[in-house]
Amino acid sequence: MRPDDCALANESPEHHLLKLELATAARAAGFRAELEVGNEARTWRADVLVFDREDRPFMALEAQLSPMTPRDAQMRTDRYAADGVAVCWISMEKRPWERGVPSLRVAPPRNRGDAWTVRHGMARYTWAAPRTVKTKAAWTHISCSLDEAVRWILQGRVHTHTGPDGTVWWTARSYVPLAIARARLEAGAEAVLQAAAAEQRRRAAQEQAAATARARLAAEQRRLAAEDRRLAMLEEAHEEQQAEQERLTDFFEHAGIKAGLWPVFMQLVRSAAGKDVVCGNQSPAHGNGLLRRSGRPVPLSVRRPARAQRPYLVVTERRVVWVARRHPGRVKSSCSWCRPGPAGGTGQR
């Protein structure tokens, strides 16, 4: 029966048996191994501390069966490293900390006489032939006896390796160059793919820029064409206005109207009539006044009766008057410059 002050008083039988197995494996590999040894500063205490050929502690074998966080595992590993001691954590179940620190996951013997077996933590790198970037390659965990794993670790035949994802495992040194060669090959292939993708994006950007430039050029051409049409219409309208004023020169002299005011006057007439008003020639029968014609049809609902008369626009003695067709001498209405006729009606006025 253990005394109360025994260092092993609070450990489980499984933990104690695993420590004994680790110490036995280390001694079988030719190394001195002691149980429950700590440093002088008491910052760590190893379950099994292994000494090298010069009797210096260099490896701690920790049987970790109780729960531990990944942070605690890393902190305790760093404490060992501060004293120049490596550590290997051994568990019997999958633990969250086993990916970040050197560790082994073991299984106890099923039958009497069987050995402890390593299930996880010892790996090899396999790369199928021919060794190209297209052939399968991966790190695979191997099973071995705990005695073999401890001997390989202590003799330096395997060492810790950290994968790209941060996972730490034990492996032979010969596998690492193979994994590096594969990684370089994959990096080269990835660089080629990225360069091709970048070239494709560059060409797409150039095509997009060219398409944008073509669209802008087409838009500018449409704008210039529209501007040309607008200027042509303005020029045509100006020419028509000039021609109209030349045609009405005699009328302007007769009525005493300035030619420059005629466009404003006609705009007022069109605005009041709500029609595209066109002036005909002078009518001697109406005091040399101008006949007015409307260019837009009027709905039947607003047309005058058939007997209604359409007035003429007559300009005489500096006054614009409306007279009926049947009674040319009768003035309907007048104003100082213009008086628009009725809103309805079509045809000659």
Side-chain angles (χ1 to χ4, degrees):
M1 186 173 181
R2 296 175 183 171
D4 295 338
D5 59 349
C6 178
L8 308 180
N10 295 324
E11 73 175 350
S12 65
E14 293 82 3
H15 185 267
H16 183 65
L17 290 175
L18 181 55
K19 286 198 310 182
L20 292 179
E21 187 67 25
L22 293 172
T24 301
R27 292 163 184 165
F31 296 88
R32 183 167 75 89
E34 302 294 339
L35 300 178
E36 299 294 336
V37 180
N39 61 349
E40 294 181 359
R42 297 184 179 182
T43 57
W44 52 263
R45 185 180 183 86
D47 288 336
V48 178
L49 187 62
V50 183
F51 298 81
D52 61 13
R53 306 301 180 186
E54 297 179 0
D55 206 30
R56 294 173 301 185
F58 77 101
M59 177 66 67
L61 302 177
E62 284 283 356
Q64 188 65 37
L65 303 185
S66 60
M68 180 175 60
T69 65
R71 182 178 180 181
D72 290 339
Q74 188 61 57
M75 289 177 58
R76 293 176 64 180
T77 301
D78 294 340
R79 290 173 190 168
Y80 281 110
D83 289 340
V85 177
V87 61
C88 180
W89 301 90
I90 296 92
S91 65
M92 296 176 62
E93 297 179 2
K94 185 176 181 180
R95 298 296 185 179
W97 46 261
E98 67 182 8
R99 292 172 54 90
V101 293
S103 63
L104 295 174
R105 192 192 310 162
V106 299
R110 294 184 178 181
N111 302 309
R112 183 182 297 271
D114 293 344
W116 287 73
T117 306
V118 174
R119 298 297 186 186
H120 187 275
M122 196 72 65
R124 67 159 60 99
Y125 191 78
T126 57
W127 189 358
R131 291 176 177 175
T132 64
V133 71
K134 295 183 178 180
T135 55
K136 187 176 181 180
W139 286 98
T140 56
H141 289 273
I142 63 173
S143 295
C144 63
S145 67
L146 181 58
D147 291 345
E148 290 176 325
V150 171
R151 182 172 69 253
W152 295 340
I153 292 172
L154 297 180
Q155 293 177 354
R157 297 173 59 182
V158 296
H159 66 100
T160 57
H161 176 75
T162 303
D165 61 348
T167 302
V168 180
W169 58 80
W170 296 92
T171 188
R173 296 184 182 274
S174 59
Y175 293 128
V176 176
L178 194 61
I180 293 176
R182 171 64 183 230
R184 289 176 178 173
L185 193 61
E186 291 178 348
E190 182 65 21
V192 172
L193 293 177
Q194 291 181 357
E199 179 65 17
Q200 186 176 1
R201 291 193 297 271
R202 186 186 66 81
R203 292 181 180 179
Q206 288 181 343
E207 293 177 358
Q208 181 65 29
T212 302
R214 290 193 297 269
R216 290 177 178 175
L217 180 60
E220 181 65 15
Q221 291 175 346
R222 290 193 297 270
R223 187 189 67 80
L224 293 176
E227 182 67 13
D228 291 342
R229 290 193 298 271
R230 187 184 68 84
L231 295 176
M233 292 175 62
L234 290 177
E235 184 177 359
E236 182 180 358
H238 179 70
E239 292 177 354
E240 291 178 355
Q241 183 178 350
Q242 290 293 105
E244 180 70 6
Q245 290 186 356
E246 291 178 1
R247 184 179 69 86
L248 300 177
T249 301
D250 294 340
F251 172 72
F252 295 155
E253 294 178 356
H254 167 71
I257 298 177
K258 293 182 180 181
L261 296 178
W262 183 251
V264 179
F265 168 74
M266 290 304 299
Q267 182 64 29
L268 291 174
V269 172
R270 294 187 179 97
S271 177
K275 297 179 175 62
D276 186 13
V277 177
V278 179
C279 292
N281 297 324
Q282 288 179 274
S283 175
H286 299 88
N288 287 329
L290 295 181
L291 300 178
R292 191 187 73 161
R293 291 178 174 83
S294 174
R296 293 197 310 172
V298 178
L300 294 175
S301 59
V302 297
R303 289 184 180 177
R304 292 184 175 184
R307 295 182 181 181
Q309 302 300 316
R310 306 293 190 266
Y312 290 100
L313 172 64
V314 180
V315 180
T316 178
E317 297 179 357
R318 301 181 62 81
R319 298 174 66 83
V320 181
V321 299
W322 297 92
V323 299
R325 175 182 294 179
R326 290 187 178 180
H327 305 282
R330 184 180 303 174
V331 177
K332 296 286 287 184
S333 61
S334 66
C335 69
S336 61
W337 281 107
C338 67
R339 178 86 173 179
T346 60
Q348 192 180 57
R349 290 186 178 180

